[in-house]
Amino acid sequence: MEKILVTGGCGYIGSHTIVDLVQKGFEVISIDNFSRSDKKVLEGVRKITGKEIVNYEIDLCDLNATKKVFEQNPGINGIIHFAAFKSVGESVEQPILYFRNNLDSLINILECALQYHVPNFIFSSSCSVYGDIKNLPVNEETPLPEAASPYGTTKQIGEQLIKETAMRCNTRFIMLRYFNPVGAHPSIEIGELPIGNPSNLFPSVFYTALGKMNELIVHGNDYETPDGSCIRDYIHVMDIAEAHALSLLYLMNNKISEEEKQMKNWNVEVMNLGTGKGHSVLEVINAFEKLSGEKLNCKIGVKRPGDVAAIYSDNKKAIQKLGWNNLKDLDEMILSAWQWTKKLNDKL
Ligand code: WQD
């Protein structure tokens, strides 16, 4: 059974990915220091899979502590590196925190991947590398402009570090550019766990509906979009999770010829993980109100620094290369996340 190390394994996407990996027959260990996650997530994973996942509560910015995990777990066949801070808004307010955390941790895990000869590495990248791009949908060949937030910058630099590292090793890398992950596992044993008041749209909608937040601020309705609010490519977290297991299977089953190894960047691939459809903030609000029967208390506010007007994906490469399909629609994303959030707040 192939052993996979998942960093940030107790986070939102990490936990959903661990469930999918276990159900696909992988052996999984996790590294998570609970700086942006909660230990109780492992209980949810156990309830779904029946497996107790070993989690090493160490900071990936501590190289020696990270190396100890590899020493204790010989034969790791793949790394999925999720661990990073990911709030666009927070990164604008605290850029150095984002540079330090997101880049130091990546450099350390890359050093371990090389030192311990890990053959496969999946990197959690982001649509925020595309910055404020006008030509939509974006595909993996789209030239990257300046990122629109420090968070996006850490992902652009992260991708560069991986390309440079890949030129000097035989590890194979896939960098997955997530669009907006939302939704919850159908069991509603795991889902998005905002720390404090949420900054993301979906949890903010649900918290407002539950009265945990007084009102939902729509960050701007005077963008150059059909209804003036920002457009994003929301994608179900379970679809994102499955793309990671499919990426590992793709790397393990697709041997590279000696001829292909002569190509520059032969061992690095980039793929968009989005639905290919954009929905505006106001569309999401209307869809939630229709599905839930709730009426949200909304207010139009000012634009949020770091936001781009619109972005959505061309996802054909991931579909073709990974056999990634049957993506869930917006209603299923909203309903699963709403059920999870009500359960989280004992409203079920
Ligand atoms: C979406 C839209 C807000 C809250 C996320 C992840 C990031 C990356 C990309 C993976 C924006 C608006 C929000 C609110 C609002 N994913 N909004 N009122 O900023 O696109 O980034 O997806 O790497 O990690 O964080 O997501 O949900 O914060 O915002 O109007 O109360 O909703 O302005 O237009 P974002 P978001």
Side-chain angles (χ1 to χ4, degrees):
M1 195 189 281
E2 309 286 8
K3 184 186 281 190
I4 307 300
L5 166 63
V6 175
T7 73
C10 297
Y12 175 39
I13 307 175
S15 55
H16 286 79
T17 299
I18 287 179
V19 165
D20 194 63
L21 288 170
V22 167
Q23 290 178 338
K24 284 185 168 64
F26 289 96
E27 180 190 349
V28 180
I29 58 172
S30 165
I31 289 179
D32 199 308
N33 66 353
F34 304 121
S35 61
R36 297 290 170 97
S37 59
D38 190 305
K39 197 187 291 267
K40 69 182 175 210
V41 165
L42 293 170
E43 182 53 20
V45 170
R46 189 193 59 73
K47 282 182 183 167
I48 299 167
T49 65
K51 296 267 187 194
E52 292 286 351
I53 300 298
V54 174
N55 177 70
Y56 294 86
E57 188 177 348
I58 60 117
D59 185 345
L60 286 163
C61 295
D62 176 343
L63 178 59
N64 290 331
T66 306
K67 283 186 173 180
K68 280 204 186 89
V69 175
F70 285 83
E71 296 292 344
Q72 291 162 17
N73 292 278
I76 288 173
N77 190 271
I79 294 168
I80 304 182
H81 180 49
F82 289 109
F85 293 161
K86 60 98 180 171
S87 166
V88 169
E90 183 186 45
S91 76
V92 171
E93 290 155 19
Q94 302 190 68
I96 302 302
L97 172 73
Y98 270 65
F99 300 151
R100 177 81 63 207
N101 182 70
N102 290 8
L103 296 177
D104 283 5
S105 54
L106 173 60
I107 293 163
N108 286 347
I109 199 74
L110 277 178
E111 180 170 339
C112 290
L114 270 57
Q115 182 174 333
Y116 297 94
H117 309 294
V118 179
N120 305 295
F121 192 110
I122 313 292
F123 175 60
S124 164
S125 189
S126 167
C127 62
S128 46
V129 302
Y130 292 111
D132 191 5
I133 208 143
K134 304 302 175 205
N135 183 16
L136 298 173
V138 288
N139 67 45
E140 295 83 355
E141 311 315 314
T142 301
L144 301 185
E146 197 176 297
S149 69
Y151 166 73
T153 299
T154 66
K155 291 301 182 181
Q156 280 190 348
I157 295 174
E159 290 194 3
Q160 281 309 313
L161 291 177
I162 284 175
K163 283 181 184 159
E164 290 285 343
T165 305
M167 284 183 222
R168 297 159 180 82
C169 72
N170 286 323
T171 296
R172 294 177 69 188
F173 297 84
I174 292 183
M175 305 193 291
L176 297 173
R177 292 174 177 168
Y178 313 151
F179 283 70
N180 286 51
V182 294
H185 189 272
S187 67
I188 56 171
E189 292 295 349
I190 54 175
E192 190 168 5
L193 261 181
I195 308 284
N197 258 350
S199 65
N200 288 132
L201 178 63
F202 269 55
S204 299
V205 163
F206 305 137
Y207 275 39
T208 303
L210 293 172
K212 288 172 68 72
M213 285 167 58
N214 295 331
E215 61 187 2
L216 177 72
I217 308 290
V218 175
H219 297 313
N221 71 338
D222 52 352
Y223 283 95
E224 285 183 30
T225 59
D227 65 16
S229 67
C230 290
I231 291 171
R232 293 291 182 273
D233 182 337
Y234 297 98
I235 170 126
H236 200 291
V237 67
M238 286 309 292
D239 289 327
I240 294 254
E242 181 160 46
H244 288 76
L246 294 175
S247 293
L248 283 171
L249 292 169
Y250 169 81
L251 289 176
M252 290 169 187
N253 300 331
N254 283 273
K255 297 305 166 209
I256 295 274
S257 67
E258 285 314 309
E259 188 185 342
E260 285 170 312
K261 284 187 180 178
Q262 307 314 312
M263 314 264 286
K264 187 166 179 268
N265 283 336
W266 64 271
N267 52 343
V268 186
E269 297 219 46
V270 186
M271 295 186 203
N272 282 340
L273 295 189
T275 60
K277 299 184 191 75
H279 292 284
S280 74
V281 173
L282 295 175
E283 282 173 339
V284 169
I285 291 168
N286 293 336
F288 170 74
E289 291 183 333
K290 201 170 82 181
L291 286 165
S292 65
E294 303 279 343
K295 184 79 184 101
L296 277 177
N297 177 21
C298 292
K299 190 173 93 176
I300 303 296
V302 296
K303 291 179 178 173
R304 181 174 71 173
D307 275 346
V308 298
I311 185 156
Y312 54 93
S313 66
D314 171 341
N315 63 358
K316 286 195 283 296
K317 185 174 177 184
I319 289 170
Q320 287 158 5
K321 288 228 171 209
L322 304 180
W324 185 55
N325 47 37
N326 301 322
L327 302 181
K328 295 167 182 61
D329 64 17
L330 185 70
D331 285 359
E332 194 167 345
M333 296 179 213
I334 292 171
L335 278 175
S336 62
W338 176 227
Q339 289 295 91
W340 157 254
T341 310
K342 284 192 289 186
K343 176 183 177 186
L344 205 56
N345 293 278
D346 298 328
K347 296 285 192 299
L348 266 190

